[in-house]
PDB file of all heavy atoms in Angstrom:
ATOM      1  N   ARG A   1       0.798  -1.226   0.000  1.00 98.00           N
ATOM      2  CA  ARG A   1       0.000   0.000   0.000  1.00 98.00           C
ATOM      3  C   ARG A   1       0.833   1.280   0.000  1.00 98.00           C
ATOM      4  O   ARG A   1       0.273   2.366   0.152  1.00 98.00           O
ATOM      5  CB  ARG A   1      -0.976  -0.010   1.177  1.00 98.00           C
ATOM      6  CG  ARG A   1      -2.074  -1.056   1.017  1.00 98.00           C
ATOM      7  CD  ARG A   1      -3.177  -0.874   2.034  1.00 98.00           C
ATOM      8  NE  ARG A   1      -2.738  -1.237   3.379  1.00 98.00           N
ATOM      9  CZ  ARG A   1      -3.482  -1.070   4.463  1.00 98.00           C
ATOM     10  NH1 ARG A   1      -4.669  -0.508   4.379  1.00 98.00           N
ATOM     11  NH2 ARG A   1      -3.039  -1.450   5.651  1.00 98.00           N
ATOM     12  N   ASP A   2       2.127   1.165  -0.188  1.00 98.00           N
ATOM     13  CA  ASP A   2       2.938   2.371  -0.295  1.00 98.00           C
ATOM     14  C   ASP A   2       4.256   2.012  -0.940  1.00 98.00           C
ATOM     15  O   ASP A   2       4.790   0.915  -0.718  1.00 98.00           O
ATOM     16  CB  ASP A   2       3.174   2.988   1.091  1.00 98.00           C
ATOM     17  CG  ASP A   2       3.848   4.357   1.018  1.00 98.00           C
ATOM     18  OD1 ASP A   2       3.572   5.094   0.050  1.00 98.00           O
ATOM     19  OD2 ASP A   2       4.637   4.687   1.924  1.00 98.00           O
ATOM     20  N   ALA A   3       4.783   2.928  -1.746  1.00 98.00           N
ATOM     21  CA  ALA A   3       6.104   2.764  -2.353  1.00 98.00           C
ATOM     22  C   ALA A   3       6.711   4.147  -2.522  1.00 98.00           C
ATOM     23  O   ALA A   3       6.106   5.025  -3.129  1.00 98.00           O
ATOM     24  CB  ALA A   3       6.010   2.047  -3.704  1.00 98.00           C
ATOM     25  N   ASP A   4       7.895   4.341  -1.957  1.00 97.00           N
ATOM     26  CA  ASP A   4       8.599   5.619  -2.040  1.00 97.00           C
ATOM     27  C   ASP A   4       9.940   5.404  -2.724  1.00 97.00           C
ATOM     28  O   ASP A   4      10.712   4.526  -2.317  1.00 97.00           O
ATOM     29  CB  ASP A   4       8.842   6.211  -0.650  1.00 97.00           C
ATOM     30  CG  ASP A   4       7.562   6.444   0.130  1.00 97.00           C
ATOM     31  OD1 ASP A   4       6.510   6.629  -0.516  1.00 97.00           O
ATOM     32  OD2 ASP A   4       7.606   6.428   1.376  1.00 97.00           O
ATOM     33  N   ARG A   5      10.236   6.213  -3.723  1.00 97.00           N
ATOM     34  CA  ARG A   5      11.531   6.149  -4.377  1.00 97.00           C
ATOM     35  C   ARG A   5      12.538   6.970  -3.576  1.00 97.00           C
ATOM     36  O   ARG A   5      12.361   8.174  -3.370  1.00 97.00           O
ATOM     37  CB  ARG A   5      11.412   6.673  -5.810  1.00 97.00           C
ATOM     38  CG  ARG A   5      12.697   6.625  -6.653  1.00 97.00           C
ATOM     39  CD  ARG A   5      13.243   5.217  -6.871  1.00 97.00           C
ATOM     40  NE  ARG A   5      12.245   4.221  -7.198  1.00 97.00           N
ATOM     41  CZ  ARG A   5      11.661   4.091  -8.396  1.00 97.00           C
ATOM     42  NH1 ARG A   5      11.963   4.914  -9.387  1.00 97.00           N
ATOM     43  NH2 ARG A   5      10.765   3.138  -8.602  1.00 97.00           N
ATOM     44  N   LEU A   6      13.587   6.320  -3.135  1.00 97.00           N
ATOM     45  CA  LEU A   6      14.615   6.968  -2.332  1.00 97.00           C
ATOM     46  C   LEU A   6      15.652   7.633  -3.237  1.00 97.00           C
ATOM     47  O   LEU A   6      15.784   7.273  -4.411  1.00 97.00           O
ATOM     48  CB  LEU A   6      15.283   5.935  -1.433  1.00 97.00           C
ATOM     49  CG  LEU A   6      14.346   5.186  -0.477  1.00 97.00           C
ATOM     50  CD1 LEU A   6      15.101   4.085   0.266  1.00 97.00           C
ATOM     51  CD2 LEU A   6      13.703   6.153   0.507  1.00 97.00           C
ATOM     52  N   PRO A   7      16.394   8.605  -2.714  1.00 96.00           N
ATOM     53  CA  PRO A   7      17.413   9.270  -3.533  1.00 96.00           C
ATOM     54  C   PRO A   7      18.437   8.322  -4.132  1.00 96.00           C
ATOM     55  O   PRO A   7      18.995   8.587  -5.201  1.00 96.00           O
ATOM     56  CB  PRO A   7      18.069  10.244  -2.541  1.00 96.00           C
ATOM     57  CG  PRO A   7      17.007  10.537  -1.529  1.00 96.00           C
ATOM     58  CD  PRO A   7      16.239   9.247  -1.383  1.00 96.00           C
ATOM     59  N   SER A   8      18.700   7.201  -3.466  1.00 96.00           N
ATOM     60  CA  SER A   8      19.658   6.221  -3.975  1.00 96.00           C
ATOM     61  C   SER A   8      19.160   5.499  -5.221  1.00 96.00           C
ATOM     62  O   SER A   8      19.940   4.833  -5.910  1.00 96.00           O
ATOM     63  CB  SER A   8      19.958   5.187  -2.892  1.00 96.00           C
ATOM     64  OG  SER A   8      18.791   4.424  -2.592  1.00 96.00           O
ATOM     65  N   GLY A   9      17.862   5.583  -5.493  1.00 97.00           N
ATOM     66  CA  GLY A   9      17.265   4.812  -6.568  1.00 97.00           C
ATOM     67  C   GLY A   9      16.565   3.562  -6.082  1.00 97.00           C
ATOM     68  O   GLY A   9      15.803   2.938  -6.832  1.00 97.00           O
ATOM     69  N   ASN A  10      16.810   3.168  -4.833  1.00 97.00           N
ATOM     70  CA  ASN A  10      16.069   2.060  -4.248  1.00 97.00           C
ATOM     71  C   ASN A  10      14.640   2.509  -3.932  1.00 97.00           C
ATOM     72  O   ASN A  10      14.333   3.693  -3.910  1.00 97.00           O
ATOM     73  CB  ASN A  10      16.749   1.560  -2.969  1.00 97.00           C
ATOM     74  CG  ASN A  10      18.053   0.843  -3.247  1.00 97.00           C
ATOM     75  OD1 ASN A  10      18.379   0.554  -4.396  1.00 97.00           O
ATOM     76  ND2 ASN A  10      18.814   0.581  -2.203  1.00 97.00           N
ATOM     77  N   THR A  11      13.770   1.544  -3.676  1.00 98.00           N
ATOM     78  CA  THR A  11      12.365   1.824  -3.394  1.00 98.00           C
ATOM     79  C   THR A  11      11.999   1.252  -2.041  1.00 98.00           C
ATOM     80  O   THR A  11      12.303   0.093  -1.735  1.00 98.00           O
ATOM     81  CB  THR A  11      11.457   1.218  -4.481  1.00 98.00           C
ATOM     82  OG1 THR A  11      11.850   1.725  -5.763  1.00 98.00           O
ATOM     83  CG2 THR A  11       9.998   1.572  -4.239  1.00 98.00           C
ATOM     84  N   LEU A  12      11.355   2.081  -1.224  1.00 98.00           N
ATOM     85  CA  LEU A  12      10.874   1.657   0.090  1.00 98.00           C
ATOM     86  C   LEU A  12       9.435   1.190  -0.082  1.00 98.00           C
ATOM     87  O   LEU A  12       8.557   1.973  -0.439  1.00 98.00           O
ATOM     88  CB  LEU A  12      10.960   2.814   1.082  1.00 98.00           C
ATOM     89  CG  LEU A  12      10.743   2.484   2.557  1.00 98.00           C
ATOM     90  CD1 LEU A  12      11.892   1.616   3.087  1.00 98.00           C
ATOM     91  CD2 LEU A  12      10.615   3.767   3.372  1.00 98.00           C
ATOM     92  N   VAL A  13       9.182  -0.087   0.174  1.00 98.00           N
ATOM     93  CA  VAL A  13       7.893  -0.720  -0.093  1.00 98.00           C
ATOM     94  C   VAL A  13       7.226  -1.102   1.221  1.00 98.00           C
ATOM     95  O   VAL A  13       7.831  -1.773   2.063  1.00 98.00           O
ATOM     96  CB  VAL A  13       8.063  -1.974  -0.976  1.00 98.00           C
ATOM     97  CG1 VAL A  13       6.726  -2.687  -1.165  1.00 98.00           C
ATOM     98  CG2 VAL A  13       8.661  -1.598  -2.327  1.00 98.00           C
ATOM     99  N   THR A  14       5.971  -0.685   1.387  1.00 98.00           N
ATOM    100  CA  THR A  14       5.171  -1.094   2.527  1.00 98.00           C
ATOM    101  C   THR A  14       4.304  -2.277   2.109  1.00 98.00           C
ATOM    102  O   THR A  14       3.322  -2.117   1.396  1.00 98.00           O
ATOM    103  CB  THR A  14       4.289   0.071   3.016  1.00 98.00           C
ATOM    104  OG1 THR A  14       5.128   1.166   3.382  1.00 98.00           O
ATOM    105  CG2 THR A  14       3.452  -0.344   4.209  1.00 98.00           C
ATOM    106  N   ASP A  15       4.703  -3.467   2.539  1.00 98.00           N
ATOM    107  CA  ASP A  15       4.050  -4.721   2.173  1.00 98.00           C
ATOM    108  C   ASP A  15       3.043  -5.054   3.269  1.00 98.00           C
ATOM    109  O   ASP A  15       3.326  -5.822   4.193  1.00 98.00           O
ATOM    110  CB  ASP A  15       5.110  -5.808   2.015  1.00 98.00           C
ATOM    111  CG  ASP A  15       4.581  -7.090   1.420  1.00 98.00           C
ATOM    112  OD1 ASP A  15       3.462  -7.061   0.864  1.00 98.00           O
ATOM    113  OD2 ASP A  15       5.285  -8.113   1.500  1.00 98.00           O
ATOM    114  N   SER A  16       1.833  -4.504   3.146  1.00 98.00           N
ATOM    115  CA  SER A  16       0.917  -4.388   4.280  1.00 98.00           C
ATOM    116  C   SER A  16       0.561  -5.713   4.938  1.00 98.00           C
ATOM    117  O   SER A  16       0.742  -5.894   6.143  1.00 98.00           O
ATOM    118  CB  SER A  16      -0.364  -3.681   3.835  1.00 98.00           C
ATOM    119  OG  SER A  16      -0.133  -2.311   3.639  1.00 98.00           O
ATOM    120  N   SER A  17      -0.013  -6.628   4.184  1.00 98.00           N
ATOM    121  CA  SER A  17      -0.511  -7.857   4.794  1.00 98.00           C
ATOM    122  C   SER A  17       0.598  -8.834   5.150  1.00 98.00           C
ATOM    123  O   SER A  17       0.355  -9.825   5.847  1.00 98.00           O
ATOM    124  CB  SER A  17      -1.534  -8.531   3.876  1.00 98.00           C
ATOM    125  OG  SER A  17      -2.723  -7.782   3.841  1.00 98.00           O
ATOM    126  N   ASN A  18       1.815  -8.571   4.688  1.00 98.00           N
ATOM    127  CA  ASN A  18       2.971  -9.329   5.155  1.00 98.00           C
ATOM    128  C   ASN A  18       3.641  -8.649   6.344  1.00 98.00           C
ATOM    129  O   ASN A  18       4.699  -9.109   6.800  1.00 98.00           O
ATOM    130  CB  ASN A  18       3.983  -9.533   4.027  1.00 98.00           C
ATOM    131  CG  ASN A  18       3.560 -10.624   3.066  1.00 98.00           C
ATOM    132  OD1 ASN A  18       2.827 -11.537   3.436  1.00 98.00           O
ATOM    133  ND2 ASN A  18       4.011 -10.544   1.813  1.00 98.00           N
ATOM    134  N   HIS A  19       3.064  -7.531   6.807  1.00 98.00           N
ATOM    135  CA  HIS A  19       3.476  -6.871   8.052  1.00 98.00           C
ATOM    136  C   HIS A  19       4.932  -6.413   8.015  1.00 98.00           C
ATOM    137  O   HIS A  19       5.640  -6.462   9.026  1.00 98.00           O
ATOM    138  CB  HIS A  19       3.260  -7.792   9.253  1.00 98.00           C
ATOM    139  CG  HIS A  19       1.952  -8.495   9.261  1.00 98.00           C
ATOM    140  ND1 HIS A  19       0.748  -7.837   9.453  1.00 98.00           N
ATOM    141  CD2 HIS A  19       1.626  -9.800   9.058  1.00 98.00           C
ATOM    142  CE1 HIS A  19      -0.243  -8.712   9.387  1.00 98.00           C
ATOM    143  NE2 HIS A  19       0.260  -9.905   9.147  1.00 98.00           N
ATOM    144  N   ARG A  20       5.382  -5.930   6.861  1.00 98.00           N
ATOM    145  CA  ARG A  20       6.796  -5.589   6.758  1.00 98.00           C
ATOM    146  C   ARG A  20       7.023  -4.411   5.830  1.00 98.00           C
ATOM    147  O   ARG A  20       6.167  -4.038   5.015  1.00 98.00           O
ATOM    148  CB  ARG A  20       7.592  -6.792   6.240  1.00 98.00           C
ATOM    149  CG  ARG A  20       7.166  -7.236   4.842  1.00 98.00           C
ATOM    150  CD  ARG A  20       7.985  -8.403   4.331  1.00 98.00           C
ATOM    151  NE  ARG A  20       7.544  -8.841   3.017  1.00 98.00           N
ATOM    152  CZ  ARG A  20       8.179  -9.726   2.265  1.00 98.00           C
ATOM    153  NH1 ARG A  20       9.302 -10.284   2.714  1.00 98.00           N
ATOM    154  NH2 ARG A  20       7.706 -10.075   1.088  1.00 98.00           N
ATOM    155  N   VAL A  21       8.210  -3.835   5.954  1.00 98.00           N
ATOM    156  CA  VAL A  21       8.680  -2.783   5.058  1.00 98.00           C
ATOM    157  C   VAL A  21       9.994  -3.253   4.447  1.00 98.00           C
ATOM    158  O   VAL A  21      10.868  -3.773   5.156  1.00 98.00           O
ATOM    159  CB  VAL A  21       8.870  -1.459   5.809  1.00 98.00           C
ATOM    160  CG1 VAL A  21       9.516  -0.412   4.914  1.00 98.00           C
ATOM    161  CG2 VAL A  21       7.530  -0.947   6.334  1.00 98.00           C
ATOM    162  N   LEU A  22      10.106  -3.076   3.148  1.00 98.00           N
ATOM    163  CA  LEU A  22      11.273  -3.544   2.409  1.00 98.00           C
ATOM    164  C   LEU A  22      11.948  -2.378   1.697  1.00 98.00           C
ATOM    165  O   LEU A  22      11.273  -1.484   1.193  1.00 98.00           O
ATOM    166  CB  LEU A  22      10.878  -4.566   1.336  1.00 98.00           C
ATOM    167  CG  LEU A  22       9.961  -5.720   1.711  1.00 98.00           C
ATOM    168  CD1 LEU A  22       9.412  -6.388   0.461  1.00 98.00           C
ATOM    169  CD2 LEU A  22      10.728  -6.730   2.550  1.00 98.00           C
ATOM    170  N   GLU A  23      13.270  -2.415   1.641  1.00 98.00           N
ATOM    171  CA  GLU A  23      13.990  -1.554   0.703  1.00 98.00           C
ATOM    172  C   GLU A  23      14.562  -2.444  -0.374  1.00 98.00           C
ATOM    173  O   GLU A  23      15.297  -3.397  -0.080  1.00 98.00           O
ATOM    174  CB  GLU A  23      15.107  -0.781   1.395  1.00 98.00           C
ATOM    175  CG  GLU A  23      15.843   0.146   0.432  1.00 98.00           C
ATOM    176  CD  GLU A  23      16.959   0.951   1.078  1.00 98.00           C
ATOM    177  OE1 GLU A  23      16.913   1.139   2.319  1.00 98.00           O
ATOM    178  OE2 GLU A  23      17.865   1.388   0.337  1.00 98.00           O
ATOM    179  N   VAL A  24      14.192  -2.157  -1.625  1.00 98.00           N
ATOM    180  CA  VAL A  24      14.607  -3.008  -2.738  1.00 98.00           C
ATOM    181  C   VAL A  24      15.381  -2.189  -3.757  1.00 98.00           C
ATOM    182  O   VAL A  24      15.135  -0.986  -3.932  1.00 98.00           O
ATOM    183  CB  VAL A  24      13.396  -3.695  -3.415  1.00 98.00           C
ATOM    184  CG1 VAL A  24      12.611  -4.522  -2.418  1.00 98.00           C
ATOM    185  CG2 VAL A  24      12.483  -2.673  -4.075  1.00 98.00           C
ATOM    186  N   THR A  25      16.313  -2.831  -4.431  1.00 98.00           N
ATOM    187  CA  THR A  25      17.066  -2.186  -5.502  1.00 98.00           C
ATOM    188  C   THR A  25      16.181  -2.078  -6.746  1.00 98.00           C
ATOM    189  O   THR A  25      15.103  -2.697  -6.812  1.00 98.00           O
ATOM    190  CB  THR A  25      18.319  -3.006  -5.849  1.00 98.00           C
ATOM    191  OG1 THR A  25      17.899  -4.255  -6.442  1.00 98.00           O
ATOM    192  CG2 THR A  25      19.155  -3.278  -4.604  1.00 98.00           C
ATOM    193  N   PRO A  26      16.600  -1.317  -7.749  1.00 98.00           N
ATOM    194  CA  PRO A  26      15.809  -1.256  -8.981  1.00 98.00           C
ATOM    195  C   PRO A  26      15.579  -2.614  -9.621  1.00 98.00           C
ATOM    196  O   PRO A  26      14.605  -2.804 -10.353  1.00 98.00           O
ATOM    197  CB  PRO A  26      16.653  -0.343  -9.889  1.00 98.00           C
ATOM    198  CG  PRO A  26      17.414   0.523  -8.943  1.00 98.00           C
ATOM    199  CD  PRO A  26      17.732  -0.359  -7.773  1.00 98.00           C
TER     200      PRO A  26
END
């Protein structure tokens, strides 16, 4: 339910029903 593009180019992902937040590379 949320995805933010970070200055590094990675993306901060809010994976709601998995109860977690991920930072992923492109």
Side-chain angles (χ1 to χ4, degrees):
R1 291 191 289 175
D2 188 34
D4 301 334
R5 182 62 44 76
L6 302 174
S8 65
N10 290 350
T11 303
L12 191 67
V13 176
T14 301
D15 189 15
S16 287
S17 289
N18 282 334
H19 315 291
R20 62 179 178 171
V21 173
L22 312 165
E23 181 179 337
V24 302
T25 67

